[in-house]
Amino acid sequence: QVRLVESGGGLVQAGGSLRLSCANSGSIFRINSMGWYRQAPGKQRDLVASITSGGTTNYADSVKGRFTISRDNAKNTVYLQMNSLKPEDTAVYYCNVQYSGYTQYTDYWGQGTQVTVSS
């Protein structure tokens, strides 16, 4: 059973840093990608960053150069290091794990962690 447990959110001043963690209780096999999405009030959930099983990373343009995604396969955990935070980064951040099946992908989501950046 896949369960994603997120931690590391909180309140920080603009220019500060936070590190999000997401521990995956599911299998480490057949993971296509792990990533982070965020959703601000009244907006859709958007990709922030993702990392494939091969280590290829992808970032939203708005966070390039400020955020870094990484994963520890031994711990089956994905991290998001967020530096130079801006008020517009305020949102609920959701961890995502995508598994590859024989005919389709299956997505799992964490419960979300609030990140608030004050100006």
Side-chain angles (χ1 to χ4, degrees), residues 4 10-11 13 18 23 25-26 28 44 56-58 69 72 78 80 84 86 90 106-109 112 118-119:
L4 304 177
L11 173 65
Q13 288 188 331
L18 284 174
S25 67
I28 194 162
Q44 66 181 20
T56 300
T57 57
N58 182 41
I69 189 169
D72 184 333
V78 64
L80 185 68
S84 302
K86 304 176 181 180
T90 296
T106 302
D107 288 288
Y108 294 89
W109 297 91
S118 62
S119 58

Side-chain angles (χ1 to χ4, degrees), residues 56-103:
T56 300
T57 57
N58 182 41
Y59 294 94
D61 288 341
S62 60
V63 307
K64 284 180 180 177
R66 300 188 297 122
F67 291 10
T68 302
I69 189 169
S70 61
R71 60 189 290 182
D72 184 333
N73 289 332
K75 296 181 179 179
N76 205 359
T77 298
V78 64
Y79 304 96
L80 185 68
Q81 178 66 44
M82 305 185 293
N83 299 329
S84 302
L85 282 160
K86 304 176 181 180
E88 50 264 43
D89 294 318
T90 296
V92 178
Y93 284 69
Y94 295 91
C95 176
N96 168 267
V97 174
Q98 186 179 79
Y99 281 89
S100 301
Y102 290 102
T103 59

Side-chain angles (χ1 to χ4, degrees), residues 23-72:
N24 177 16
S25 67
S27 171
I28 194 162
F29 299 105
R30 305 190 69 84
I31 291 178
N32 181 57
S33 67
M34 301 180 76
W36 292 92
Y37 288 69
R38 67 186 180 187
Q39 187 169 19
K43 296 188 177 181
Q44 66 181 20
R45 188 176 299 187
D46 291 323
L47 174 70
V48 177
S50 65
I51 183 167
T52 68
S53 57
T56 300
T57 57
N58 182 41
Y59 294 94
D61 288 341
S62 60
V63 307
K64 284 180 180 177
R66 300 188 297 122
F67 291 10
T68 302
I69 189 169
S70 61
R71 60 189 290 182
D72 184 333

